[in-house]
Amino acid sequence: MVKGFLNRVKQRIKGEADYSAMSQAHSDSTIGPLSSMLGPSGRVTLASLKYFFHASGREDFIEFIQNPVLAGSALNAECFMAGEHSDEDSVDKHQKMNKTQIVNLDDQLSKRSGPGTSLPYAIYPLIKRTNAESPANTFTIGRTKKSDMSMKDMAISKSHAVIRLSKGSFFIEDCGSTNGTRLNGKRVKDTPVLLRDKDVIALGNYEFTFLSPSSLHDLLCM
């Protein structure tokens, strides 16, 4: 089935230019072949990315990924080559999430055991799940299962931040989270801020790099 997805993408885009040259209508799309491969938390596995990387050319890979991804801080070139960390979705842990814990941004919560342990290894494509409840072109980030990017850690607020797609560009804003949202070290408030390739987004204690499909491909090449 996975190979079938890739073949259909190849047939549809034969002869098309790379990501930067896509039409406006396509660049505003939040639905694509990758949608059916997302887990309940909005993630895609590193194994799936590696499969498409090895099975396709650069342009086909970029077209399949379609939109940027948020890649956890541990997913640098060395980690990509080393292998995949276990996904939090496979861990059967039930915690009460009634109150967001206030944390020190210098703490290293990712070193502790718990649901948030895998967040530094998470990959969240900016593609909507097929069963998403949030509005089109909107990606909600929070601790609850209803979030497009579900991050099950007490440092993440129930409604932490939101990323919006408008006219081919992505913007992030904070939703009044307890531990805050930062972009390249600067606090993000409730005013949308433009995201650029390789920007670093901090959500509470966790950092994610905003990567275009082409940058993701180049990282896998290392």
Side-chain angles (χ1 to χ4, degrees):
M1 183 178 69
V2 172
K3 192 171 183 179
F5 271 131
L6 182 57
N7 288 337
R8 287 195 291 273
V9 171
K10 286 183 177 181
Q11 292 174 2
R12 189 177 70 248
I13 65 168
K14 189 175 182 181
E16 186 179 72
D18 64 9
Y19 177 79
S20 62
M22 290 180 187
S23 66
Q24 184 67 54
H26 188 279
S27 64
D28 276 344
S29 175
T30 56
I31 300 175
L34 196 57
S35 298
S36 298
M37 297 176 59
L38 301 182
S41 63
R43 299 184 185 186
V44 64
T45 66
L46 183 57
S48 297
L49 291 179
K50 285 182 175 180
Y51 173 86
F52 288 110
F53 172 76
H54 291 296
S56 64
R58 188 175 190 273
E59 291 185 3
D60 289 341
F61 177 88
I62 290 171
E63 172 67 13
F64 186 84
I65 300 302
Q66 184 171 308
N67 284 344
V69 305
L70 297 190
S73 58
L75 291 174
N76 51 30
E78 180 178 352
C79 289
F80 271 115
M81 297 302 293
E84 183 175 6
H85 191 277
S86 59
D87 192 288
E88 68 170 321
D89 293 331
S90 64
V91 180
D92 184 18
K93 292 190 177 182
H94 302 281
Q95 290 192 345
K96 293 182 179 179
M97 302 184 195
N98 295 323
K99 185 177 181 181
T100 305
Q101 296 177 355
I102 300 176
V103 298
N104 187 324
L105 292 178
D106 293 328
D107 289 344
Q108 299 295 320
L109 291 186
S110 61
K111 295 182 180 180
R112 303 178 185 178
S113 61
T117 304
S118 63
L119 283 176
Y121 301 85
I123 305 169
Y124 292 95
L126 291 176
I127 291 288
K128 302 289 284 189
R129 298 197 309 273
T130 54
N131 60 344
E133 299 181 9
S134 60
N137 298 353
T138 299
F139 299 87
T140 56
I141 302 172
R143 200 169 66 228
T144 67
K145 293 181 180 179
K146 292 183 178 180
S147 300
D148 293 308
M149 301 180 194
S150 179
M151 302 181 181
K152 299 177 183 178
D153 187 89
M154 297 304 287
I156 304 296
S157 295
K158 292 181 179 179
S159 178
H160 197 102
V162 62
I163 295 177
R164 304 184 195 278
L165 172 59
S166 176
K167 298 181 179 179
S169 296
F170 290 86
F171 299 82
I172 188 169
E173 59 187 274
D174 187 74
C175 295
S177 63
T178 301
N179 293 310
T181 302
R182 295 180 181 275
L183 179 62
N184 300 324
K186 296 182 179 180
R187 188 72 178 253
V188 174
K189 299 183 179 179
D190 58 359
T191 301
V193 180
L194 176 66
L195 290 172
R196 301 181 185 278
D197 191 25
K198 300 180 182 178
D199 276 349
V200 176
I201 300 169
L203 303 163
N205 281 328
Y206 300 100
E207 290 188 348
F208 297 87
T209 303
F210 179 81
L211 294 174
S212 67
S214 58
S215 291
L216 177 61
H217 179 275
D218 293 346
L219 181 61
L220 287 168
C221 286
M222 295 181 182

